[in-house]
Amino acid sequence: MREKILICATELFLNLGFKSVTMDDIATALGISKKTIYQHFANKTKLVEAATHKLFVTVSCGIDHICALEKNPIEEVYSIKQFVLEHLKDEKSSPQHELKKYYPKIFKDIKSKQFEIMQTCVISNLNRGIKQGLYRDSINVDFIARLYFNSMIVIKDRDLFPLELFSSNMIIHDYLEYHLRGICTPKGLEILKQFITSKPKKQ
């Protein structure tokens, strides 16, 4: 039952937001009593913490799998983008923004774990891109990797990039083009063109 509660809660949090979803909503969706939920999770904060951890593990494992395929580094970037968009579903809500606002401690812990995972993946991607002549060999790999991570956090800030002006798909698509154009060689740019021919709409 604990796993069923966790799956249902995670789905609701992603679609409706961490703040608006109540324990009653989760109980109703599962057809169980609130008391049953509290037998497994002491309060909503504990449930949010477990749900974000579960989601983090799922996304991290997926990214690790994509990285293990050792695709063309530029294709790898777009494959990860697509995978993350499919799993976070943040067109309807802004999970990361809400987590930061209403559950700052959980957000801080997850951000720290995300940084460790992404640094390994991004640094590997950058080094392979340089080796294959797709990225400029003059770039500062550690600097670019840290900048990339922080930029991916910032573009999910709904105060800075409101959904009515910037859809998640469009803003990530635009940022990836911006990022890759800054580090690609002419050879890399030729490959990049294959991924930017169809630009997502705002909505």
Side-chain angles (χ1 to χ4, degrees):
M1 179 53 71
R2 186 181 190 278
E3 187 65 14
K4 286 183 178 180
I5 294 170
L6 205 48
I7 291 171
C8 179
T10 301
E11 187 76 12
L12 289 174
F13 289 147
L14 287 178
N15 283 296
L16 303 174
F18 288 106
K19 184 177 185 295
S20 62
V21 174
T22 65
M23 298 296 251
D24 282 315
D25 293 331
I26 297 166
T28 299
L30 286 167
I32 60 175
S33 68
K34 235 182 357 178
K35 183 179 178 181
T36 302
I37 297 177
Y38 285 120
Q39 288 175 350
H40 298 277
F41 301 96
N43 51 52
K44 184 181 174 183
T45 298
K46 290 294 184 183
L47 180 53
V48 169
E49 185 175 31
T52 53
H53 177 72
K54 177 181 176 62
L55 186 62
F56 169 77
V57 170
T58 299
V59 172
S60 296
C61 288
I63 291 175
D64 285 344
H65 175 71
I66 292 170
C67 292
L69 297 175
E70 294 195 349
K71 297 182 176 184
N72 169 299
I74 295 172
E75 181 184 357
E76 179 179 274
V77 168
Y78 281 93
S79 293
I80 290 173
K81 166 218 165 185
Q82 191 58 40
F83 174 80
V84 171
L85 279 175
E86 288 172 0
H87 281 76
L88 294 188
K89 304 177 183 178
D90 53 357
E91 288 287 2
K92 297 180 182 178
S93 65
S94 183
Q96 186 165 280
H97 183 56
E98 284 205 353
L99 195 65
K100 182 180 181 180
K101 188 174 183 179
Y102 300 108
Y103 300 93
K105 184 179 182 301
I106 297 174
F107 173 81
K108 185 178 178 180
D109 291 343
I110 289 294
K111 183 180 175 182
S112 178
K113 292 176 182 177
Q114 285 177 330
F115 178 74
E116 292 177 15
I117 293 292
M118 281 189 67
Q119 280 296 99
T120 300
C121 179
V122 175
I123 287 174
S124 173
N125 180 279
L126 292 171
N127 284 327
R128 285 193 299 111
I130 292 170
K131 188 176 180 180
Q132 294 176 26
L134 303 179
Y135 301 156
R136 293 182 290 109
D137 60 11
S138 60
I139 64 173
N140 183 325
V141 170
D142 188 53
F143 170 74
I144 296 296
R146 290 170 184 268
L147 185 63
Y148 182 84
F149 173 78
N150 279 285
S151 296
M152 292 300 283
I153 295 291
V154 169
I155 64 175
K156 292 182 181 296
D157 185 333
R158 290 308 179 199
D159 291 329
L160 192 59
F161 298 102
L163 265 179
E164 59 267 23
L165 297 177
F166 304 93
S167 73
S168 295
N169 194 15
M170 184 197 75
I171 198 170
I172 293 178
H173 184 92
D174 284 353
Y175 173 68
L176 291 184
E177 180 181 349
Y178 173 85
H179 163 70
L180 290 167
R181 281 190 181 278
I183 64 175
C184 276
T185 61
K187 178 182 175 182
L189 287 173
E190 287 303 311
I191 295 174
L192 177 60
K193 287 177 184 177
Q194 301 171 24
F195 294 93
I196 60 176
T197 52
S198 179
K199 182 176 179 179
K201 296 179 181 179
K202 286 184 180 180
Q203 294 295 338

